[in-house]
Amino acid sequence: QIETILMPKWMTIKGYGDLHTLERRILRMEQRQLNPTLLKVDPGVEYAVITKINLIGLTEPIFALTNDYDASASLSRIANTHIDEVFTNMRH
């Protein structure tokens, strides 16, 4: 996931946000690349809801659209669309 690290590195160069916070985030991301782990079920835990998602049908990236948690679009649907603002999930 080297591409994922590029955004916070770019943010530090541009002076965006708190430098110390971004540097800590970059360090954690780099450490995770050295020892990647997958999410797994906690043994003996009972979950309130289990959501299964069939990923076989995904053939292209899906993007969340602004101001509506249920709104999304495929890359082909929004290709060549002018974008004014972008938010990324930086919880790594």
Side-chain angles (χ1 to χ4, degrees):
Q1 297 286 0
I2 292 172
E3 307 83 27
T4 307
I5 294 177
L6 294 178
M7 177 60 88
K9 285 185 175 183
W10 176 85
M11 293 166 70
T12 61
I13 292 168
K14 295 295 185 178
Y16 177 85
D18 179 64
L19 181 62
H20 180 67
T21 300
L22 290 169
E23 288 174 339
R24 280 192 344 245
R25 182 173 294 152
I26 291 166
L27 179 62
R28 285 193 312 265
M29 293 167 81
E30 290 172 337
Q31 290 170 342
R32 201 169 12 264
Q33 284 183 349
L34 295 174
N35 185 23
T37 57
L38 297 175
L39 295 176
K40 56 186 172 186
V41 175
D42 294 328
V45 173
E46 186 175 318
Y47 295 94
V49 176
I50 297 175
T51 303
K52 293 184 179 184
I53 301 171
N54 182 357
L55 301 178
I56 299 294
L58 293 180
T59 58
E60 61 182 313
I62 305 293
F63 294 85
L65 304 177
T66 59
N67 300 322
D68 185 350
Y69 292 109
D70 293 326
S72 62
S74 63
L75 176 60
S76 60
R77 183 175 147 217
I78 60 172
N80 300 315
T81 300
H82 177 77
I83 298 173
D84 293 312
E85 196 168 17
V86 175
F87 296 92
T88 62
N89 178 353
M90 298 293 288
R91 296 179 297 161
H92 294 279

